[in-house]
């Protein structure tokens, strides 16, 4: 696959990132992570997206633990 994304893919990636940020603001970390994964499907080498997703992992674990208590 080409390293560059099309204009349509770029718009989708940006939409997924905006959705992820909105979910983060609502502390819905699982859906935020899902949006980052969708964006990464278009550009799997994007280190920024990987970092954003990785920073959510501990939050998902914490929120899951709180719900189960």
């Amino acid at each position: 696959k080409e390293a560059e994304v099309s204009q349509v893919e770029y718009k989708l990636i940006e939409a997924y990132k905006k959705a992820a940020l909105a979910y983060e603001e609502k502390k819905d970390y699982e859906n935020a992570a899902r949006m980052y994964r969708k964006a990464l499907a278009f550009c799997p080498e994007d280190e920024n997206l990987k970092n954003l997703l990785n920073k959510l992992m501990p939050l998902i674990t914490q929120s899951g633990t709180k719900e189960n208590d």
Side-chain angles (χ1 to χ4, degrees):
K1 187 175 176 175
E2 290 183 356
E4 293 191 26
V5 296
S6 72
Q7 188 173 4
V8 171
E9 288 174 326
Y10 177 79
K11 288 181 179 181
L12 281 170
I13 292 164
E14 289 303 306
Y16 286 134
K17 285 171 33 178
K18 287 179 183 177
L21 291 171
Y23 280 123
E24 280 189 70
E25 286 180 17
K26 294 181 177 186
K27 299 189 183 339
D28 185 346
Y29 302 120
E30 288 184 27
N31 277 318
R34 189 168 55 90
M35 293 297 111
Y36 286 131
R37 285 188 195 101
K38 286 181 179 255
L40 277 166
F42 291 102
C43 53
E45 303 302 317
D46 187 320
E47 292 299 321
N48 185 48
L49 282 173
K50 289 178 186 178
N51 290 335
L52 291 167
L53 178 59
N54 286 335
K55 81 171 187 179
L56 288 180
M57 292 299 110
L59 299 173
I60 291 171
T61 303
Q62 289 174 6
S63 65
T65 302
K66 288 179 185 173
E67 290 173 5
N68 293 333
D69 286 347

